[in-house]
Amino acid sequence: MNHARAQASPPGARTPPLDTVAEIETPEHIRFRYQLAGPGRRMMAYLIDLAIRGIIVVILGLILQLSSYGFGFGGEGFSTGAFLLVAFAVEWGYYVLWESLWSGRTPGKRSMHLRVLKEGGYPTGFLDIALRNLLRAADFLPMAYSVGLLVMGLDPRFRRLGDMVAGTVVVVEDPGRIGHGLVVQPPPSAAELASLPARPDLSSADLEALDLFLRRVGTLNPAREQELADIIAPVYAKRLGLQYTHSARFLALLYLRAIGRTA
Amino acid sequence: MRLWTQDEFVSRRQGEWTALSDILTSGKPLHKLPAADISRFSALYRGACADLVHARDVGFTPDLVSYLDGLAGRAHNILYAAPPYRIAAAWDLVAREFPRALRRNGRFFALGMTLFFAPMVLCLVATLFFPEFAYQVLSREQLQGMADMYSEAHTGRDESTDAGMAGFYVHNNVGIAFRCFATGILLGFGSLFFLIYNGVVMGTVLGHVIAAGHGKNILTFVCTHGTFELTAIAIAGGAGLQMGYALVDTGGRTRLGSLRAAGRDLAIIILGAAIMLFIAAGLEAFWSPSAAPPPAKWALAGVFTILLTLYFALAGRSTTTARPGLRAGSQGIVATPTPGGRP
């Protein structure tokens, strides 16, 4: 569990980014990054779950009422008592049941792409889930999850009290997709590409910057595009010892060469 | 050094990523897949992990890295999933873990019982000897309402009102129990307050109703479910006190780490209390207001009291049980110093 934590890494190691990201390390010594779920997203998930809980209680209540009036089953007292038991079970059992049977998700969390995990990135056990959900009573105080929101705001990992005691975090599970490859218009000719060295030595941060710029090209004002390109292009030309005529085109070609595109 | 270009890399590997993603989106737990698929899954997962490291290392574009991050992360969650839930584990909790955890933390259990029942008995006696005392605690209207409610015996004839009121108390008392526990996180002061406060209120009401001459009604009504309910409230409060105490006496850990070390026992205890409350709720809704004769209610209360005492004292004492109990995450709730956690 320790090695999942930033502080356990050797001194001088890369500090975790100042971001809403939790990094965990697996037995395969792979580090995953999870985006932590903030209060807004979790509140949405809560509201969805609240609505579902409401619907469940209403439907079960109606069934109990009908069984009492329609079939004379048990009488009114029975149905009222049973209804309150149902309301009690739904109020306290809903989260525990869903999160333990659906590996840390409820329908509300699922729809917001959220999942509850142990802090080391492990799946949550039943006891963790029971604990974090019973402590909703503390987070709810004095009303409408005020304490929970306050604590969440102060904690760098957006944990409410229940999360802290149970040792859980809520993460965003973005399925993600591979973005379509960057399209450069007009398509570069072989000669144009050959004018630059194959695989220029660019760091991933360089690539990310170029990528971001080139993806915005279509949406920028041409004058602005030129202005930005004129700032960046000389930097790379100087570093790599290259010449260029058209700065924006140069950046596009440089990017294509760096990711190894031949056409 | 880049062996493949990004486009080559994607076109070569994408087939496996899609295959892995398909297994993930099918939503089936891993242990329900055929054996061949399971071993294929782990191969695909390791492949994706290697691809992730490679993509990060050679600096492929961020969208590819984050896609692989997400893919491998989701696969990791499936592969290292919590063990499936077994009925045996639930039985273990009731039959062994709960009474064991209570005995292990016996002093908090005793403290909870004392802080809850001592004020209750004191106020009960005070109200019996000095009826005016009740008005110091609750308003005249509230007390009158309570007295009226128990002015008639529960014979089952007025079932709808009784069940309605019972339902109200189910919510109310369960809320009390969980609040007694959860507010313990405020260094235990919340539990302390709610235990004493509820003891005072319940004792006063009991005393007042008895003094008003309806003692037989209220006691007959309360005796059976009260055995479970009041004990569960005291247990929940005791667990809350334990939670607060873990924040103060950390045993050399960080405060959060100390809290988490106590977490497993706390979870077991509060789950046990919740089960007791559920039993109490059932009794309160259907047995207590029923037309069953008072001697039957008292007899059942006596039987339950004896059984509960024996259960707390003896259940789970045998040492032959090698079966693993409930598991809290694969690593358990282990105390580790937590970066970023507020001490």
Side-chain angles (χ1 to χ4, degrees):
Chain A
M1 207 160 171
N2 266 325
H3 50 256
R5 306 188 184 287
Q7 275 186 6
S9 50
R14 199 163 40 98
T15 50
L18 183 64
D19 200 356
T20 55
V21 170
E23 203 173 57
I24 61 150
E25 191 176 315
T26 72
E28 288 82 16
H29 297 288
I30 307 290
R31 279 163 188 257
F32 297 130
R33 289 189 193 135
Y34 282 110
Q35 203 198 328
L36 293 166
R41 217 183 246 261
R42 291 177 66 172
M43 222 187 298
M44 285 303 296
Y46 175 78
L47 290 177
I48 293 170
D49 282 328
L50 188 67
I52 295 174
R53 266 157 58 199
I55 291 167
I56 293 175
V57 169
V58 166
I59 289 176
L60 288 177
L62 280 177
I63 292 174
L64 284 169
Q65 281 290 325
L66 288 179
S67 67
S68 140
Y69 288 127
F71 313 107
F73 173 62
E76 198 187 336
F78 178 88
S79 75
T80 318
F83 172 74
L84 284 153
L85 282 189
V86 163
F88 163 68
V90 170
E91 185 179 346
W92 293 101
Y94 176 88
Y95 282 98
V96 177
L97 202 66
W98 273 114
E99 287 181 8
S100 52
L101 292 182
W102 210 16
S103 33
R105 289 176 298 182
T106 62
K109 286 198 171 68
R110 178 74 190 79
S111 62
M112 301 307 292
H113 298 290
L114 301 181
R115 189 195 286 271
V116 184
L117 286 180
K118 260 328 247 188
E119 274 177 352
Y122 303 101
T124 43
F126 181 74
L127 291 182
D128 306 321
I129 288 168
L131 202 54
R132 79 182 289 281
N133 284 309
L134 284 178
L135 279 163
R136 281 176 190 278
D139 280 306
F140 191 82
L141 290 175
M143 57 189 302
Y145 283 94
S146 313
V147 168
L149 276 174
L150 185 74
V151 172
M152 228 189 262
L154 291 173
D155 184 71
R157 277 184 279 176
F158 296 135
R159 293 171 298 176
R160 58 179 179 83
L161 292 176
D163 288 321
M164 289 183 172
V165 179
T168 53
V169 284
V170 180
V171 300
V172 180
E173 258 193 343
D174 192 0
R177 58 197 157 76
I178 309 175
H180 60 89
L182 190 67
V183 183
V184 176
Q185 288 297 343
S189 67
E192 255 187 317
L193 284 171
S195 69
L196 291 179
R199 303 186 183 179
D201 186 22
L202 293 180
S203 72
S204 55
D206 290 328
L207 271 181
E208 185 172 356
L210 287 178
D211 186 84
L212 282 174
F213 170 70
L214 293 170
R215 281 181 199 279
R216 286 179 65 198
V217 158
T219 62
L220 287 172
N221 178 327
R224 179 67 181 146
E225 177 194 326
Q226 190 63 41
E227 194 183 343
L228 285 173
D230 283 339
I231 299 171
I232 317 163
V235 178
Y236 287 114
K238 193 176 169 206
R239 197 204 297 170
L240 301 169
L242 297 171
Q243 302 291 322
Y244 65 91
T245 47
H246 186 271
S247 54
R249 189 72 181 163
F250 169 69
L251 291 177
L253 292 172
L254 196 62
Y255 177 83
L256 291 181
R257 284 306 251 171
I259 66 167
R261 193 87 62 88
T262 46
Chain B
M1 183 61 211
R2 221 167 281 170
L3 299 173
W4 288 332
T5 67
Q6 179 166 342
D7 288 355
E8 277 166 359
F9 180 70
V10 171
S11 65
R12 268 168 197 257
R13 304 287 306 149
Q14 198 162 21
E16 287 198 9
W17 300 339
T18 318
L20 182 58
S21 181
D22 285 346
I23 299 181
L24 291 176
T25 43
S26 77
K28 269 193 188 165
L30 205 54
H31 63 273
K32 291 203 177 143
L33 293 174
D37 279 5
I38 296 177
S39 53
R40 184 157 157 271
F41 178 89
S42 51
L44 289 173
Y45 164 68
R46 284 194 299 273
C49 283
D51 290 342
L52 170 64
V53 175
H54 179 68
R56 237 186 237 153
D57 191 43
V58 301
F60 287 149
T61 52
D63 62 324
L64 180 61
V65 174
S66 73
Y67 167 79
L68 288 173
D69 223 335
L71 182 69
R74 281 185 299 153
H76 170 263
N77 286 342
I78 301 291
L79 194 62
Y80 294 95
Y85 296 96
R86 298 166 299 129
I87 295 296
W91 170 245
D92 240 24
L93 176 87
V94 175
R96 298 181 193 90
E97 300 280 350
F98 175 46
R100 274 182 192 163
L102 270 186
R103 287 195 297 268
R104 238 188 336 261
N105 305 290
R107 50 187 182 146
F108 292 105
F109 176 41
L111 193 59
M113 295 289 273
T114 311
L115 285 173
F116 183 54
F117 285 108
M120 187 186 288
V121 172
L122 276 179
C123 290
L124 171 63
V125 172
T127 319
L128 285 180
F129 283 96
F130 313 100
E132 283 303 306
F133 172 78
Y135 301 109
Q136 302 291 321
V137 178
L138 289 167
S139 74
R140 221 161 263 277
E141 293 78 35
Q142 282 170 314
L143 286 169
Q144 192 55 47
M146 289 292 175
D148 286 348
M149 200 158 49
Y150 292 103
S151 59
E152 276 174 45
H154 290 277
T155 55
R157 260 172 290 167
D158 199 12
E159 229 177 27
S160 58
T161 340
D162 288 344
M165 285 319 289
F168 168 74
Y169 284 121
V170 170
H171 257 171
N172 193 41
N173 294 350
V174 170
I176 285 175
F178 286 158
R179 226 170 293 140
C180 275
F181 167 66
T183 54
I185 197 144
L186 310 169
L187 298 176
F189 286 114
S191 302
L192 191 71
F193 170 77
F194 278 114
L195 277 174
I196 296 176
Y197 171 78
N198 286 305
V200 165
V201 170
M202 287 183 196
T204 307
V205 168
L206 207 56
H208 180 80
V209 175
I210 293 173
H214 312 305
K216 213 174 151 196
N217 295 342
I218 191 170
L219 289 173
T220 316
F221 178 75
V222 164
C223 63
T224 321
H225 66 256
T227 314
F228 287 96
E229 198 166 76
L230 301 181
T231 315
I233 289 176
I235 289 174
L241 290 169
Q242 188 180 353
M243 182 157 61
Y245 187 72
L247 279 172
V248 179
D249 180 6
T250 60
R253 302 181 177 99
T254 61
R255 297 206 191 279
L256 215 48
S258 159
L259 202 56
R260 224 163 281 160
R264 191 188 136 78
D265 274 3
L266 290 180
I268 292 171
I269 291 173
I270 199 66
L271 274 177
I275 294 170
M276 288 177 68
L277 286 166
F278 209 84
I279 296 173
L283 289 172
E284 188 163 6
F286 302 115
W287 169 259
S288 298
S290 74
K297 291 182 181 175
W298 280 104
L300 198 62
V303 169
F304 281 150
T305 310
I306 293 167
L307 285 181
L308 260 188
T309 313
L310 288 176
Y311 168 69
F312 287 153
L314 299 177
R317 276 213 189 264
S318 87
T319 49
T320 53
T321 50
R323 244 190 313 176
L326 278 179
R327 303 227 321 232
S330 45
Q331 298 297 301
I333 300 175
V334 183
T336 36
T338 315
R342 302 287 149 117

